[in-house]
Amino acid sequence: MLIWGIKTVLLELKDLRIDYGAHPAVEGLNLSVDRGEIVTVVGPNGAGKSSTLRCICGLIRPTSGEVRLGGTRIDGLSTQAIVKRGLSLVPEHRHIFPSMTVLENLMMGAYLRKDHSGIKSDLKETYRHFPILEERSAQLGSKLSGGEQQMLAIGRALMSKPSILLLDEPSLGLAPLIVLEVAKITADICRSGVSIVLIEQNANMALRVAHRGYVMEMGRVVMEGDAQVLLESENLKATYLGG
């Protein structure tokens, strides 16, 4: 988003390093997300993508470096405190509550909120993004298809009213048509005012929906830039896009 020609940075990682024991998972990572922007991070398994998201959310602490949200450091805060500041994660493999109804799952996303009228309004907005969830609001989460469970996981995260949403491999295990639907919904959510970090192995889908992208390998960024430019990169095509 541009305000008088100046980009407004919402999320910023500075020289981030994450170690698991003696082994670095992420080294010297610098990444930023502007307001109103979708930024994707693509790369193979083990590249450090999910570790980066877990660190942003406070689930693990960085060895060094900074995580800033709205200009304020959050890398020393608890996950609950970070969620209160407007950041929400949709984890890999969804992790919905299978024995709870769709509505109960969605309301769990709002558990830190006290603004009842706002919660009601945001539930309507979530149903606008995902009409199937309204149709199945009384159905148990375990009875949903994989694609519907992914929609439920995203909807649950939106119920916390985030300014930035982190999506960890949302296309994993989904049929191609459902992947396209998730991509469309991701773009729609961004247009509604929520910035997005999209972690994906499906580089083709991710770069088509994103504004900018980072390519990670073995814990480091090896390429970054405008998503369309990356999509047309011969090196990236050969490595990640099948040709």
Side-chain angles (χ1 to χ4, degrees):
M1 178 179 177
L2 296 178
I3 299 179
W4 300 109
I6 301 174
K7 290 184 178 180
T8 307
V9 177
L10 179 59
L11 177 69
E12 188 173 19
L13 312 185
K14 294 184 176 182
D15 297 319
L16 197 69
R17 181 185 177 98
I18 304 168
D19 291 331
Y20 292 124
H23 303 286
V26 174
E27 296 184 79
L29 176 60
N30 292 287
L31 180 151
S32 66
V33 182
D34 296 334
R35 292 186 183 276
E37 185 178 43
I38 300 174
V39 170
T40 186
V41 183
V42 300
N45 276 334
K49 306 186 304 296
S50 292
S51 294
T52 299
L53 285 197
R54 289 172 61 82
C55 183
I56 294 170
C57 295
L59 296 172
I60 56 176
R61 296 292 173 89
T63 305
S64 60
E66 299 180 2
V67 180
R68 292 182 175 272
L69 181 63
T72 302
R73 284 191 69 169
I74 61 170
D75 48 271
L77 301 180
S78 68
T79 298
Q80 180 170 309
I82 292 171
V83 172
K84 284 183 176 180
R85 287 175 178 265
L87 186 146
S88 191
L89 169 68
V90 179
E92 186 179 1
H93 304 301
R94 277 89 73 176
H95 293 290
I96 65 163
F97 300 102
S99 61
M100 298 173 69
T101 67
V102 167
L103 178 58
E104 288 168 340
N105 267 274
L106 292 173
M107 295 308 293
M108 284 298 293
Y111 78 101
L112 290 176
R113 297 176 60 182
K114 306 299 181 184
D115 56 323
H116 299 294
S117 62
I119 291 171
K120 186 176 180 180
S121 175
D122 288 337
L123 181 61
K124 289 182 179 179
E125 179 68 4
T126 298
Y127 284 153
R128 184 187 70 79
H129 289 301
F130 308 104
I132 190 66
L133 296 184
E134 184 171 21
E135 293 175 22
R136 304 195 177 181
S137 60
Q139 190 169 326
L140 293 179
S142 61
K143 302 299 183 181
L144 301 181
S145 68
E148 290 164 351
Q149 289 187 12
Q150 184 63 71
M151 293 176 189
L152 178 56
I154 297 172
R156 180 182 60 190
L158 289 176
M159 287 301 295
S160 70
K161 202 174 182 62
S163 58
I164 186 163
L165 185 66
L166 313 183
L167 300 177
D168 194 357
E169 303 282 7
S171 73
L172 188 66
L174 301 183
L177 286 177
I178 303 301
V179 171
L180 289 176
E181 183 65 20
V182 169
K184 291 177 182 176
I185 290 167
T186 300
D188 189 34
I189 291 170
C190 181
R191 283 192 292 269
S192 73
V194 180
S195 299
I196 294 173
V197 178
L198 174 61
I199 298 293
E200 266 292 345
Q201 286 189 62
N202 187 338
N204 192 29
M205 179 276 278
L207 290 170
R208 290 184 185 281
V209 74
H211 299 95
R212 291 189 299 113
Y214 295 81
V215 182
M216 289 187 71
E217 290 181 3
M218 299 181 67
R220 294 181 176 274
V221 171
V222 296
M223 198 181 306
E224 64 180 274
D226 179 84
Q228 187 60 40
V229 172
L230 291 176
L231 193 61
E232 295 171 358
S233 163
E234 294 301 325
N235 184 36
L236 194 66
K237 286 179 181 178
T239 306
Y240 296 108
L241 304 178

